[in-house]
Amino acid sequence: AQSVTQLDSQVPVFEEAPVELRCNYSSSVSVYLFWYVQYPNQGLQLLLKYLSGSTLVKGINGFEAEFNKSQTSFHLRKPSVHISDTAEYFCAVSRNYGGSQGNLIFGKGTKLSVKP
Amino acid sequence: SQTIHQWPATLVQPVGSPLSLECTVEGTSNPNLYWYRQAAGRGLQLLFYSVGIGQISSEVPQNLSASRPQDRQFILSSKKLLLSDSGFYLCAWSVTRSSNQPQHFGDGTRLSIL
């Protein structure tokens, strides 16, 4: 069975500092990987996705993530955060096989708090 | 472009009352549809998914049910709400039968049970 672990439930950081949100997954088959952001009282918005090819993926709002197959990780990074990046971030994995329902397995989320 | 709508945005219901939450998608055909519940500190729990009209799969046993009466309409229901049904309910859609496509989420319904 697949699972997703987000190692930090909360990450406080000062404005303009770099940030890394960690995500590890477990799966016996190849996977697709996603990061979503959720602002308070809103739905989830896709930040970026890894399907294949280059292991460094760039997304919206200046975020990027690197897929590391040997470490089964997909950490999210931003070199300089803004107050507006304060939100909850979810890592998700989808099993790579034909005829899938497209079901995603989500981590429990990391709350990023950017302080002035 | 595709859009997804959920309503109501917030709902306060007494224990034992019925529930009906509606979700509709526009701009796409034959989507996969999903209902999630998000409880504080517990991430997202997939409740139901549907790959077509009348086809519903339940992920966890619970007090809720789902129906898909039309291609782009997904309804979450309960006959008698429990306190434990409180939470933030999210509807999502994705391109059918494709595991490499992301899911797209509605703005959610905040359900409070009194």
Side-chain angles (χ1 to χ4, degrees):
Chain A
Q2 296 164 282
S3 66
V4 178
T5 302
Q6 291 184 243
L7 298 165
D8 305 297
S9 60
Q10 297 187 45
V11 173
V13 64
F14 287 106
E15 193 173 18
E16 298 183 6
V19 70
E20 179 180 81
L21 306 183
R22 296 180 292 170
C23 172
N24 287 87
Y25 68 93
S26 65
S27 177
S28 58
V29 299
S30 61
V31 296
Y32 302 119
L33 295 156
F34 306 85
W35 273 101
Y36 286 84
V37 60
Q38 185 180 32
Y39 299 102
N41 294 311
Q42 293 186 24
L44 276 69
Q45 180 183 2
L46 180 69
L47 271 179
L48 49 78
K49 60 184 178 183
Y50 172 78
L51 304 181
S52 64
S54 173
T55 57
L56 184 62
V57 180
K58 294 190 183 297
I60 62 171
N61 301 342
F63 283 92
E64 62 182 31
E66 186 160 17
F67 171 60
N68 188 318
K69 187 176 181 179
S70 62
Q71 297 186 8
T72 60
S73 68
F74 190 54
H75 300 332
L76 182 70
R77 302 185 183 102
K78 186 169 182 177
S80 176
V81 294
H82 303 289
I83 297 288
S84 59
D85 293 322
T86 295
E88 191 161 16
Y89 293 79
F90 291 91
C91 181
V93 61
S94 173
R95 186 176 172 187
N96 178 1
Y97 68 99
S100 167
Q101 301 92 344
N103 290 3
L104 294 177
I105 306 299
F106 285 88
K108 291 190 175 182
T110 297
K111 290 184 178 178
L112 175 65
S113 175
V114 182
K115 304 176 187 300
Chain B
S1 62
Q2 302 90 355
T3 56
I4 179 169
H5 303 280
Q6 272 188 258
W7 67 93
T10 59
L11 189 60
V12 180
Q13 293 283 97
V15 170
S17 64
L19 173 73
S20 181
L21 303 181
E22 191 162 342
C23 171
T24 59
V25 180
E26 296 176 0
T28 187
S29 296
N30 196 29
N32 285 351
L33 295 171
Y34 309 85
W35 276 112
Y36 290 89
R37 176 168 57 207
Q38 188 176 22
R42 297 182 62 182
L44 279 81
Q45 180 185 32
L46 179 63
L47 302 176
F48 301 95
Y49 67 89
S50 171
V51 299
I53 295 174
Q55 300 179 61
I56 309 294
S57 296
S58 174
E59 287 294 293
V60 293
Q62 60 201 303
N63 184 42
L64 302 168
S65 62
S67 61
R68 185 170 177 174
Q70 299 180 44
D71 181 45
R72 290 168 290 177
Q73 184 185 28
F74 205 23
I75 297 172
L76 184 69
S77 304
S78 174
K79 292 182 179 178
K80 296 179 76 172
L81 285 167
L82 306 172
L83 282 174
S84 57
D85 292 323
S86 291
F88 191 49
Y89 288 81
L90 290 160
C91 181
W93 73 272
S94 69
V95 173
T96 191
R97 299 196 184 285
S98 181
S99 60
N100 67 353
Q101 294 298 315
Q103 293 180 13
H104 306 276
F105 287 80
D107 287 334
T109 295
R110 176 77 58 191
L111 176 63
S112 299
I113 310 300
L114 303 179

